[in-house]
Amino acid sequence: MTISVLTIMPELFGSFLQAPVIARAIRNGVLEVKIIDIREYAPGSFRHIDDSPFGGGAGMVMRCQPVLDALRACNNKDRTVILSPAGKPYTQKKAHELSSAGHLVLICGHYEGMDARIYPHADEQISIGDYVLTGGEIAAQVIIDSIARLLPGSLRDESTQEESFENGLLEYPQYTQPAVYEGEAVPDVLRSGDHEKIRKWRLQQSLLLTRRMRPDLFEAHVLTEEEKALLAEADDSSFSI
Ligand code: ADE
């Protein structure tokens, strides 16, 4: 998969692309990331990428020409996304959907926004949350990170299936050595060696955790008969954290 990022701050991607999972995906040839400096498409020695808004008002607006020329230079793109606080909220489901694109283009907005004539050139706008960032670069990095770890050969083990959100629930609590830390013991079941009991306990914890922390996800989750039974047998002492 190729991800092209159109940005006015290419320097923000240097160390990001060296993060282990992303670097491994690139090394293994399952991911290529092209950082494209929009400024290079702006003519003249001033490389004029923004201007004041028609109608007046504070701030600057990104101009059509450099952004759209940079976009046109991306060959064989099959999905173009603008990062914007006005976009649809980003989810794990969307990460899966985008990960199947051959060539994804991410356009990072800046200033007070982009000229409205740029938006119809993208397939969609995505927001990573209800807050305003200085620019779309961090949002683009969030998207690249979440996609990279879904690509085969990026994670050391294929451990994404049981993660939070993959089955619509938060992930169960995890423990490692020592078995007792400052008087707090790891739940006995995890040391029992009984895989079926462990599976049930983990599912029950996922359900309890999701109901407590993310009632919105819990409401949207359709409970199986087994999940109903696990919830029915849980009481206050069942919660491990
Ligand atoms: N650009 C500025 N704020 C943003 C947000 N919340 N999500 C995506 N892109 C943005």
Side-chain angles (χ1 to χ4, degrees):
M1 166 178 201
T2 300
I3 304 180
S4 295
V5 184
L6 273 51
T7 173
I8 60 165
M9 298 202 161
E11 64 279 7
L12 293 182
F13 289 84
S15 58
F16 168 70
L17 295 176
Q18 288 164 29
V21 170
I22 295 168
R24 191 173 307 125
I26 293 172
R27 213 169 41 241
N28 291 347
V30 291
L31 179 66
E32 177 188 25
V33 181
K34 294 181 178 167
I35 305 298
I36 294 152
D37 187 352
I38 293 171
R39 231 174 267 276
E40 294 195 351
Y41 290 84
S45 51
F46 288 111
R47 301 245 175 234
H48 194 192
I49 48 166
D50 59 331
D51 213 326
S52 46
F54 274 113
M60 300 294 270
V61 175
M62 280 172 86
R63 295 171 54 235
C64 290
Q65 176 270 318
V67 176
L68 293 180
D69 281 357
L71 181 60
R72 285 184 194 110
C74 296
N75 294 322
N76 304 321
K77 50 190 173 287
D78 40 32
R79 195 92 178 226
T80 301
V81 170
I82 293 178
L83 285 324
S84 152
K88 286 231 180 77
Y90 191 56
T91 60
Q92 187 67 14
K93 186 163 170 255
K94 183 59 89 176
H96 277 283
E97 193 186 312
L98 295 181
S99 72
S100 66
H103 184 185
L104 170 68
V105 180
L106 301 175
I107 305 178
C108 305
H110 250 270
Y111 306 113
E112 293 310 302
M114 291 196 281
D115 190 306
R117 291 166 290 187
I118 295 173
Y119 292 95
H121 293 264
D123 299 302
E124 60 190 314
Q125 294 180 56
I126 291 179
S127 163
I128 60 159
D130 288 342
Y131 37 79
V132 181
L133 301 166
T134 314
E137 282 74 10
I138 293 173
Q141 291 176 7
V142 166
I143 289 181
I144 296 168
D145 186 291
S146 60
I147 289 176
R149 57 198 308 291
L150 294 177
L151 299 174
S154 60
L155 295 186
R156 226 183 283 278
D157 51 4
E158 300 300 326
S159 60
T160 58
Q161 261 105 41
E162 296 204 349
E163 282 176 344
S164 289
F165 306 115
E166 288 298 341
N167 59 356
L169 297 172
L170 300 180
E171 195 182 12
Y172 47 79
Q174 297 272 28
Y175 297 85
T176 187
Q177 299 292 344
V180 180
Y181 177 71
E182 294 186 346
E184 297 278 344
V186 169
D188 287 339
V189 58
L190 296 178
R191 304 178 65 205
S192 68
D194 184 333
H195 295 295
E196 180 54 13
K197 253 177 145 173
I198 292 171
R199 186 192 65 77
K200 286 195 157 149
W201 181 86
R202 286 178 164 166
L203 180 55
Q204 187 184 53
Q205 293 297 315
S206 276
L207 291 160
L208 293 172
L209 199 62
T210 310
R211 188 167 66 183
R212 182 195 279 180
M213 305 296 285
R214 290 292 304 272
D216 55 325
L217 286 183
F218 186 77
E219 282 303 309
H221 181 75
V222 181
L223 292 168
T224 64
E225 290 308 313
E226 181 188 32
E227 289 170 348
K228 282 183 201 161
L230 287 170
L231 280 172
E233 72 189 34
D235 55 35
D236 286 348
S237 67
S238 306
F239 218 138
S240 92
I241 52 173

